[in-house]
Amino acid sequence: MKARMQNPAMVLPDAMKGIQNLFKAMNTGGVPQEIMELVHLRASQINGCSTCVYGGVASARKAGMSDDRLHSVVAWREAPFFTDAERAALALAEAATRLADRSGKAVPDDVWDEAADHFDEKQLAAIILMVATTNFFNRINATIEEPAGATW
C-alpha cells in the first residue's frame, strides 16, 4: 500500500520544526517514557491508526516495555500489568481522544482528578501534549493512508 501523498509535515518543512519543538517540550515534562508510550499507543489504537500503532509498539519496546504490557494496552482496565499512575494516564488519554463520545465534560472530573493525583502540572502538560500530538498524527496518517511501517 502506498500513501496518497507524502506526509504533510515533510511537504511543509516549517511544520516539522513545530512538531519537533512539541516533542522537545514533552520530553522536559518529567513523565516516564513508558507512560508517554502507553498514552501514544492507546490513542492510536482508539483512532485506528495502523502507522502510529506500529511505530508506538516499536518505540515502547525500545523504552523497555514488556510484551505482556504491550499486548494488554487495548484492555488495560482488565489487565494486571499497569500501575495506578499508568491507569490514570491511560484514562486521560482515552477521554481526551474520545471527545465526541460523551455528553457533558470532555474529560470528566473523576478522570482529571485521578490523573492530577499522580502527576504534577508539568507532567500533565506533557501527557496532554502527547495525546494531542498523537491525535494530530493519527488524523494525518488516516487522511493520507500512510501505511504501517512507513518511514519518512
Side-chain angles (χ1 to χ4, degrees):
M1 185 168 128
K2 185 177 179 206
R4 289 176 167 160
M5 65 175 281
Q6 186 177 4
N7 190 295
M10 300 306 290
V11 173
L12 303 172
D14 285 343
M16 184 52 78
K17 291 176 192 171
I19 293 163
Q20 289 170 336
N21 284 333
L22 278 171
F23 278 102
K24 184 177 174 184
M26 283 183 251
N27 289 331
T28 67
V31 178
Q33 190 61 38
E34 282 197 16
I35 291 177
M36 297 295 273
E37 299 298 344
L38 285 170
V39 299
H40 168 77
L41 183 55
R42 186 63 191 125
S44 297
Q45 288 173 336
I46 291 166
N47 290 323
C49 181
S50 65
T51 304
C52 289
V53 169
Y54 181 90
V57 167
S59 288
R61 280 194 172 125
K62 274 179 148 175
M65 196 171 306
S66 71
D67 282 345
D68 286 341
R69 288 163 52 79
L70 280 171
H71 296 304
S72 299
V73 172
V74 72
W76 62 269
R77 284 182 178 83
E78 294 79 23
F81 308 115
F82 303 101
T83 67
D84 289 343
E86 290 168 338
R87 291 175 186 283
L90 286 163
L92 180 59
E94 285 190 1
T97 298
R98 296 182 175 199
L99 297 176
D101 291 352
R102 65 175 33 89
S103 59
K105 292 185 176 188
V107 176
D109 289 336
D110 61 324
V111 171
W112 179 261
D113 293 343
E114 186 66 22
D117 285 346
H118 292 281
F119 303 102
D120 65 24
E121 189 170 36
K122 194 172 178 182
Q123 292 170 318
L124 286 168
I127 292 168
I128 292 165
L129 285 173
M130 175 57 87
V131 173
T133 304
T134 297
N135 279 283
F136 168 77
F137 273 112
N138 292 166
R139 281 147 180 79
I140 289 173
N141 290 331
T143 301
I144 66 169
E145 297 182 346
E146 185 80 52
T151 58
W152 296 351

